[in-house]
Amino acid sequence: MGIMSERTKDLHYEPRQFPQGFLWGTGTSSYQVEGGNQRADWWKWEQEGGHIADGTTSGRAVDYWNRYREDFALASEHLHNNAYRMSVEWSRLEPSEGEWDEEAFTHYREMLTEAKRCGLQIMLTVHHFTNPQWLMDKGGWETRKVIHFYTRFVQKLCDELGEFVDLWCTINEPMVYVLQGYIFLEWPPQRRSYYKAAKVVWHQTRCHRAAYKLIHAWAHERNRVTHVGIANNVSSMTIYRKHSFLDHLAAALIDRGMNHVFYYLSGMRTHDYLGLNYYFHFRIKSVWDFLKRKGPVETSQSAQFESSDIGWELFPHGIFDVCMDMAGYKKPIYITENGLATTNDDKRIRVIVGFLMQLHYAVQEGADVRGYFHWSLLDNFEWAKGYAPTFGLVEVDRASMRRTPRTSAMVYGMIAEKNAIEHDFLRFLGHGTTDILNEWKKSHTQT
Ligand code: BGC
């Protein structure tokens, strides 16, 4: 005899429906996919040699600059997406100080026109880690001047590309930029200094505030509705020793210092939505542990837990935690990034379904989640790790630049198309998924 009542059984088999108008998308960033961004600080840094773990350089990346049509077609037809998050490359548009490359603007305009034709709403990121080299020569984000340069760029973006943008993302992961460039020193400009790091954070918040005002003024004049926010790298945390007061204190400090600090410093009123990039779960022992080690990864003690190919712990429940935490601000939430690097696509499928189930619980519990952008549409240049980690729903063979959608792309596409997780997909959550998947793939490729 079953233990479930008929009603519970029905509920159990009902699809996990997402709110109407939910945005289903993927994300990319210009430098990681376009190729040939020779005026960027990263390009120069790569040429020094020895910085990129797998010995590659970004080079042609995945030639998205020329193949974006094919990529948008995949996003809309194969993945059934209705949204897309992309960035513009500042160093391409303003290759030297104050000089705009009008051809590059035209190219982005063509790109955005095509995205719209494919039915994709656009989240446009203004700054995604890379900078024009000329800006770095003037002190980059450490000097107040960046506010002038950045806002001038945003104004130009509004005038040239604003009509295509539904959601603006002023800065991608401001705190990660600072940690990697000024504390962990894994990325340029590799200047270890807490003082400089603090200045950079401050200037980022000033830039965001200025951009917020400017974009709203621009939209207001044109009677357009617009939404402005950032993509914030947020982590979930558990305490390593649950009775240790110090561990609790450390977790609270890291949580405030990482997940919330940008909102405090920039003012919550300058965020129309909360963009959350969710990858990390930390098991916190002490703040010193966190700072002493080179990166956040080791802090999670992830070796003992299931993790991606680059050692990041996979903890689907964490996306529920961060959404519920941020729901307290009473703002719309978008998951602006979430994904994993793996060569095992069955694992990718299981983890995606796991994350989306948890996201659905968060929605049921009242978090105002309006969209989810999986990272990433394509395999791409994974910063200082090079091309070895594969985050893409679509595989890219870099020799031929051929795109091949993985099965995970089909699964994600079916969820997006239905705006729901069908009960059928819950079978992928167990660990013995390979056989189930093979059977599923067979039946879906026959139809
Ligand atoms: C960044 C992406 C990056 C991804 C995976 C995020 O922190 O915004 O550019 O590829 O994580 O590492």
Side-chain angles (χ1 to χ4, degrees):
M1 210 168 60
I3 48 168
M4 275 193 243
S5 72
E6 281 311 309
R7 178 66 191 137
T8 329
K9 233 192 265 171
D10 283 354
L11 282 177
H12 192 70
Y13 287 105
E14 271 168 21
R16 269 60 172 176
Q17 195 70 44
F18 281 78
Q20 230 190 346
F22 196 82
L23 294 188
W24 292 101
T26 57
T28 55
S29 89
S30 50
Y31 196 83
Q32 294 180 272
V33 291
E34 285 179 358
N37 278 311
Q38 304 191 6
R39 299 300 188 108
D41 56 345
W42 263 81
W43 188 277
K44 185 169 176 215
W45 188 69
E46 284 172 37
Q47 311 312 311
E48 289 171 11
H51 294 308
I52 311 296
D54 65 359
T56 54
T57 50
S58 59
R60 291 171 67 204
V62 292
D63 198 29
Y64 162 97
W65 187 249
N66 298 308
R67 291 166 199 256
Y68 64 87
R69 284 195 175 77
E70 186 186 343
D71 298 334
F72 295 166
L74 283 169
S76 96
E77 287 157 29
H78 201 88
L79 289 162
H80 300 284
N81 281 186
N82 55 8
Y84 180 58
R85 175 172 175 238
M86 60 178 269
S87 73
V88 282
E89 190 63 29
W90 187 354
S91 63
R92 207 188 258 285
L93 292 168
E94 191 179 0
S96 29
E97 189 196 330
E99 276 175 34
W100 305 115
D101 183 334
E102 297 301 339
E103 262 178 48
F105 275 105
T106 305
H107 193 94
Y108 276 120
R109 217 171 294 122
E110 284 165 7
M111 218 181 233
L112 289 162
T113 307
E114 179 64 10
K116 289 282 160 170
R117 202 189 60 76
C118 291
L120 302 168
Q121 290 203 38
I122 294 296
M123 177 181 283
L124 192 76
T125 307
V126 176
H127 184 266
H128 197 123
F129 298 148
T130 52
N131 300 294
Q133 184 55 46
W134 63 260
L135 177 68
M136 296 315 280
D137 294 340
K138 290 182 170 291
W141 289 81
E142 291 161 37
T143 91
R144 266 189 69 76
K145 288 186 213 146
V146 69
I147 306 168
H148 162 72
F149 294 130
Y150 178 85
T151 43
R152 184 176 64 184
F153 178 49
V154 172
Q155 181 66 59
K156 178 81 175 162
L157 286 179
C158 284
D159 295 339
E160 299 283 343
L161 307 175
E163 64 189 284
F164 300 102
V165 181
D166 302 286
L167 293 147
W168 287 89
C169 171
T170 57
I171 305 178
N172 179 68
E173 299 190 345
M175 301 308 289
V176 171
Y177 177 79
V178 175
L179 280 176
Q180 293 289 59
Y182 291 84
I183 311 289
F184 300 141
L185 308 191
E186 289 181 353
W187 295 355
Q190 292 188 302
R191 295 190 191 132
R192 190 189 289 279
S193 157
Y194 284 101
Y195 174 61
K196 286 184 177 150
K199 281 212 290 192
V200 171
V201 175
W202 183 248
H203 294 145
Q204 287 172 320
T205 62
R206 299 307 93 182
C207 283
H208 168 77
R209 284 172 67 96
Y212 182 89
K213 279 197 206 132
L214 198 150
I215 294 167
H216 273 288
W218 178 88
H220 184 75
E221 270 170 34
R222 287 158 185 80
N223 260 332
R224 287 180 66 92
V225 180
T226 195
H227 305 281
V228 183
I230 62 163
N232 189 16
N233 185 300
V234 288
S235 309
S236 57
M237 284 162 224
T238 43
I239 310 300
Y240 198 68
R241 296 167 299 177
K242 79 175 174 189
H243 298 296
S244 157
F245 173 72
L246 280 180
D247 287 3
H248 278 277
L249 188 65
L253 289 174
I254 294 173
D255 176 42
R256 301 287 135 188
M258 291 287 297
N259 293 352
H260 295 270
V261 74
F262 197 90
Y263 300 133
Y264 299 153
L265 295 176
S266 56
M268 213 53 206
R269 272 187 313 177
T270 64
H271 296 264
D272 297 323
Y273 68 88
L274 306 178
L276 310 181
N277 290 3
Y278 179 70
Y279 293 100
F280 296 118
H281 182 66
F282 297 145
R283 292 165 199 274
I284 302 295
K285 214 168 172 182
S286 85
V287 180
W288 290 122
D289 240 36
F290 182 79
L291 292 176
K292 248 178 3 209
R293 301 184 198 231
K294 281 216 71 198
V297 174
E298 292 88 345
T299 315
S300 75
Q301 315 287 331
S302 54
Q304 304 152 37
F305 301 93
E306 185 179 30
S307 55
S308 71
D309 288 0
I310 50 176
W312 298 358
E313 183 180 342
L314 299 167
F315 188 70
H317 183 79
I319 207 167
F320 172 85
D321 286 351
V322 294
C323 286
M324 295 318 294
D325 181 28
M326 293 294 170
Y329 287 119
K330 307 227 174 314
K331 302 257 177 182
I333 293 173
Y334 291 91
I335 301 299
T336 34
E337 284 183 37
N338 169 239
L340 67 155
T342 182
T343 46
N344 177 347
D345 198 48
D346 292 358
K347 182 174 180 172
R348 191 188 322 274
I349 291 171
R350 178 160 47 78
V351 172
I352 290 178
V353 175
F355 273 116
L356 292 178
M357 279 297 289
Q358 292 295 329
L359 193 62
H360 186 259
Y361 289 139
V363 172
Q364 281 183 314
E365 288 304 318
D368 184 8
V369 186
R370 307 263 178 107
Y372 173 90
F373 293 81
H374 189 80
W375 188 271
S376 177
L377 175 62
L378 306 161
D379 289 341
N380 60 45
F381 179 67
E382 181 48 33
W383 305 114
K385 295 189 173 66
Y387 286 100
T390 47
F391 273 91
L393 291 168
V394 175
E395 182 185 349
V396 180
D397 167 21
R398 289 197 63 246
S400 62
M401 294 295 176
R402 207 180 117 94
R403 273 78 167 137
T404 315
R406 298 189 160 106
T407 310
S408 51
M410 178 161 48
V411 170
Y412 182 57
M414 288 171 88
I415 295 173
E417 190 181 18
K418 296 257 159 58
N419 195 28
I421 309 169
E422 296 278 358
H423 178 259
D424 201 30
F425 285 178
L426 302 190
R427 291 183 300 162
F428 301 152
L429 285 175
H431 278 261
T433 42
T434 308
D435 289 346
I436 298 173
L437 260 168
N438 283 342
E439 191 190 304
W440 184 87
K441 281 182 216 170
K442 233 198 284 161
S443 64
H444 279 80
T445 39
Q446 271 159 11
T447 52

